[in-house]
C-alpha cells in the first residue's frame, strides 16, 4: 500500500522547500493534493497524459468528466486555450478566484484532460499555496477535487487523507478552505455566457460586471441550456455521504421520519425533536464553507438520515442547492 507524505504548509508563508518538493513531484508525473480557496484539489501535470490518467484512477472518476486546469497567470491560460477578449476581461475581473472558464482548447492539451472535448476548463486559484505550487512547477496543473468520485468534496486535509491516503503521493495541508464549495464554471465559447455549474462566485457578481448569464434548466430563470452544453460532471450523483440526504425546502413541513438518529445542517432551526446532531450556520457564506465538512462529520456520527436546509436561489444559495440536490439523489 502506498503511503502518502503529508506536509503542513502555512497558508500565508508557504515553506519554499516543501513547495519545491511538491513541484518536483508534479513534474515527475506524481499526484499532489493541495489546498485552494474553494476545496482541496488533486493535482497532476495537465499536459502529461499518463499523470492525468492517475487522477481518474485514484478518484474512480468517469473518463468523460473533464478536469479543471489550474494556472497562475492569464498568459499561462493563453498558452493552452484560445481566449476571447470577453474571456480575458472576465479573467482580469475575477482572477485569481473561484471562476472557471470553459474555452476552445489548444492542441497541447491532451484529450484525457478535457474528457475528449475540444474545450478546456481553466481557473487561476487565489490560495497562496496553490499559486506557489503552480508557479514553482512551471506547468498547468489539472486538479479536480481531491475526494473519491461521488463523495462530499474535501475541505480539509483529513478528508483528502480519508478518501485517497493510500492512492496519492503528497498532501499539502494548510487547514480548512475558505469558500467551501467548488468554483463557478461558465462556458464562454458561444455568443452568450452559459453557467455550467454554480459555485463559489455568485452569478450576481458576473451580472453586476455586465454579463447576462444563461442558467441551466432547473436553476432556472426563464432561459434553458441544451443538455450538450451542460457540464459533463453535473450529470452524476455526487457530493453524497453514505447515508440518505433529505431536503427541507422553504415553506415545507418538517419531514416525518421513522429513524432514531437524525442529523441536520442549515441556517433555519430544526424542531427540538432532532437531537444533538445539529449543525447551524449563521449565513450562506458559512453554510457553503461548512457544507461538505458537516456532511462528512454527520456521516461519521452514524446518523441514519441527514436533513438539509435547502436555501433560496440567491448568492451562494444556488451552489449550496446544487450540491445538496445531487447529494440527495439515489
Ligand atoms: P471538479 O473538478 O470535480 O470540481 O469538476 C469540474 C467541473 O467542470 C465538472 O462539472 C466538469 O464537468 C466541468 N468541466 C470541466 N471541463 C469542462 C469542459 N471542457 N466543458 C464543460 N464542462 C467542463
Ligand atoms: Mg469534484
Amino acid at each position: 500500500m502506498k503511503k502518502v507524505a503529508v506536509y503542513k504548509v502555512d497558508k500565508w508563508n508557504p515553506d519554499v522547500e516543501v513547495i519545491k518538493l511538491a513541484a518536483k513531484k508534479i513534474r515527475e508525473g506524481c499526484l499532489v493534493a493541495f489546498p485552494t480557496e474553494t476545496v482541496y484539489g488533486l493535482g497532476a501535470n495537465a499536459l502529461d497524459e499518463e499523470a492525468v490518467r492517475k487522477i481518474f484512477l485514484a478518484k474512480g472518476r468517469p473518463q468523460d468528466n473533464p478536469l479543471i486546469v489550474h494556472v497562475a497567470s492569464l498568459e499561462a491560460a493563453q498558452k493552452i486555450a484560445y481566449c476571447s477578449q470577453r474571456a480575458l476581461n472576465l479573467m482580469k475581473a475575477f482572477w485569481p478566484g473561484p471562476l472557471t472558464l470553459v474555452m476552445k482548447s489548444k492542441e497541447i492539451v491532451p484529450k484525457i484532460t478535457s474528457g475528449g472535448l475540444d474545450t478546456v476548463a481553466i481557473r487561476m486559484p487565489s490560495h497562496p499555496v496553490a499559486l506557489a505550487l503552480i508557479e514553482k512547477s512551471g506547468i498547468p496543473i489539472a486538479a479536480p477535487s481531491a475526494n473519491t468520485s461521488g463523495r462530499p468534496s474535501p475541505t480539509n486535509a483529513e478528508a483528502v487523507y480519508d478518501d485517497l491516503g493510500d492512492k496519492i503521493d503528497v498532501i499539502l495541508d494548510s487547514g480548512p478552505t475558505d469558500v467551501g464549495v467548488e468554483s463557478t464554471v461558465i462556458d464562454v465559447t458561444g455568443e452568450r455566457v452559459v453557467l455550467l455549474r454554480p459555485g463559489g462566485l455568485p452569478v450576481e457578481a458576473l451580472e453586476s460586471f455586465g454579463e447576462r448569464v444563461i442558467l441551466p434548466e432547473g436553476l432556472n430563470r426563464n432561459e434553458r441550456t441544451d443538455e450538450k452544453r451542460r457540464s459533463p460532471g453535473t450529470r452524476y450523483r455526487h457530493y453524497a455521504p453514505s447515508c440518505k440526504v433529505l431536503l427541507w425546502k422553504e415553506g415545507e413541513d418538517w419531514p416525518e421520519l421513522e429513524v432514531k438518529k437524525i442529523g441536520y445542517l442549515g441556517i433555519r432551526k430544526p424542531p427540538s425533536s432532532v437531537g444533538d446532531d445539529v449543525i447551524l450556520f449563521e449565513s450562506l457564506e458559512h453554510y457553503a464553507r461548512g457544507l461538505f465538512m458537516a456532511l462528512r462529520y454527520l456521516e461519521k456520527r452514524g446518523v441514519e438520515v441527514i436533513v438539509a436546509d435547502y436555501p433560496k436561489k440567491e448568492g451562494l444559495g444556488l451552489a449550496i442547492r446544487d450540491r445538496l440536490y445531487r447529494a440527495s439523489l439515489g
Side-chain angles (χ1 to χ4, degrees):
M1 206 198 266
K2 199 186 242 175
K3 186 90 182 81
V4 66
V6 183
Y7 299 97
K8 294 244 185 243
V9 190
D10 187 274
K11 176 176 171 181
W12 297 113
N13 189 18
D15 184 327
V16 183
E17 290 311 312
V18 174
I19 297 295
K20 256 195 210 161
L21 184 149
K24 184 161 170 279
K25 287 283 179 193
I26 291 278
R27 279 197 306 273
E28 288 169 357
C30 300
L31 299 182
V32 176
F34 61 96
T36 79
E37 72 277 26
T38 58
V39 303
Y40 274 72
L42 179 60
N45 180 353
L47 306 180
D48 175 348
E49 198 178 315
E50 276 320 303
V52 172
R53 196 179 309 283
K54 290 182 194 166
I55 294 181
F56 284 92
L57 282 176
K59 281 179 62 76
R61 182 176 174 108
Q63 293 253 352
D64 66 349
N65 191 4
L67 307 178
I68 294 174
V69 178
H70 293 68
V71 296
S73 67
L74 271 67
E75 292 69 35
Q78 287 173 290
K79 285 192 184 142
I80 57 175
Y82 297 95
C83 308
S84 62
Q85 192 53 53
R86 166 194 252 162
L88 289 169
N89 292 343
L90 284 164
M91 291 174 198
K92 282 179 198 152
F94 296 106
W95 279 7
L99 178 68
T100 297
L101 292 93
V102 170
M103 294 171 286
K104 184 101 178 46
S105 175
K106 290 193 172 169
E107 246 344 76
I108 187 172
V109 180
K111 277 282 178 248
I112 186 164
T113 303
S114 57
L117 301 171
D118 59 4
T119 52
V120 61
I122 309 180
R123 168 168 114 84
M124 176 172 168
S126 67
H127 197 294
V129 172
L131 284 175
L133 178 65
I134 300 162
E135 269 162 9
K136 198 77 211 162
S137 48
I139 35 184
I141 297 183
S145 48
N147 54 327
T148 300
S149 218
R151 301 259 308 136
S153 295
T155 50
N156 58 27
E158 291 73 33
V160 178
Y161 188 88
D162 285 350
D163 278 16
L164 302 175
D166 57 349
K167 299 188 178 75
I168 65 178
D169 303 286
V170 174
I171 300 176
L172 300 181
D173 175 1
S174 303
T177 59
D178 257 6
V179 179
V181 289
E182 300 84 342
S183 60
T184 300
V185 182
I186 55 172
D187 179 338
V188 291
T189 58
E191 284 277 289
R192 308 276 292 278
V193 172
V194 180
L195 180 73
L196 299 180
R197 177 181 73 184
L201 183 78
V203 170
E204 290 87 340
L206 292 167
E207 287 175 339
S208 54
F209 183 68
E211 284 294 355
R212 213 163 132 234
V213 182
I214 303 182
L215 307 193
E217 197 179 338
L219 293 175
N220 164 233
R221 305 222 247 239
N222 1 19
E223 288 160 295
R224 295 180 167 196
T225 328
D226 73 76
E227 187 58 33
K228 282 194 217 77
R229 292 198 71 191
R230 296 282 300 275
S231 233
T234 57
R235 289 190 212 117
Y236 307 104
R237 179 175 193 245
H238 210 335
Y239 313 115
S242 53
C243 57
K244 200 175 160 69
V245 176
L246 284 182
L247 309 175
W248 183 32
K249 297 181 180 161
E250 199 78 31
E252 275 184 0
D253 288 339
W254 182 255
E256 295 233 353
L257 298 167
E258 282 173 17
V259 295
K260 285 206 192 79
K261 224 168 144 41
I262 301 171
Y264 175 82
L265 69 158
I267 295 177
R268 287 178 291 163
K269 275 219 175 87
S272 55
S273 57
V274 172
D276 297 334
D277 291 311
V278 169
I279 299 173
L280 287 179
F281 301 106
E282 65 189 45
S283 63
L284 282 176
E285 208 180 24
H286 285 88
Y287 198 171
R289 187 177 300 150
L291 170 63
F292 290 128
M293 232 185 289
L295 290 175
R296 283 178 181 260
Y297 170 79
L298 292 171
E299 175 185 57
K300 275 193 180 158
R301 292 275 304 162
V303 303
E304 293 159 89
V305 174
I306 295 173
V307 180
D309 188 3
Y310 203 51
K312 294 204 185 81
K313 294 178 190 172
E314 283 161 13
L316 288 170
L318 205 61
I320 297 170
R321 286 168 70 99
D322 169 72
R323 308 306 187 267
L324 286 174
Y325 174 71
R326 286 199 280 144
S328 77
L329 297 175

